[in-house]
Amino acid sequence: MTNHTPGPWTENACEIQAEDGSPICEMLLRIEDVDRFSSPASDANSRLICAAPDLLDALITTLELAVGHACDSRGITPAECNEWPWVKQARELIA
């Protein structure tokens, strides 16, 4: 898996920051946004970006539980489960 800056991430003005205050990214507004410093879309995008580390952790946990349950309930090996398209897709997205 590619390394990433661990969470939590927070928004400070128009910048998404790591826990130590280092920048993750800067939020830019579209020209059609009314307010130069915020808009409903930019606020929603900021919340989504800040949630990314937690979403990744949740996906990893959910995938492992789902694969384990699917393998157990069908009496097959994890290697067989790892060949399912949805498992491959989830692992690719995690990577």
Side-chain angles (χ1 to χ4, degrees), residues 43-78:
D43 292 343
N45 290 337
S46 293
R47 287 191 304 275
L48 179 60
I49 291 167
C50 288
D54 292 331
L55 290 169
L56 177 62
D57 289 343
L59 176 58
I60 291 169
T61 300
T62 302
L63 177 64
E64 296 311 317
L65 289 171
V67 169
H69 176 72
C71 291
D72 289 346
S73 68
R74 288 171 175 79
I76 59 177
T77 69

Side-chain angles (χ1 to χ4, degrees), residues 7-76:
W9 297 352
T10 56
E11 182 183 14
N12 184 5
C14 292
E15 187 175 78
I16 306 299
Q17 297 177 341
E19 191 169 28
D20 65 2
S22 61
I24 300 291
C25 69
E26 184 176 351
M27 297 301 297
L28 301 175
L29 298 178
R30 300 169 302 174
I31 198 156
E32 62 267 19
D33 289 331
V34 177
D35 185 327
R36 276 189 58 202
F37 300 105
S38 73
S39 73
S42 68
D43 292 343
N45 290 337
S46 293
R47 287 191 304 275
L48 179 60
I49 291 167
C50 288
D54 292 331
L55 290 169
L56 177 62
D57 289 343
L59 176 58
I60 291 169
T61 300
T62 302
L63 177 64
E64 296 311 317
L65 289 171
V67 169
H69 176 72
C71 291
D72 289 346
S73 68
R74 288 171 175 79
I76 59 177

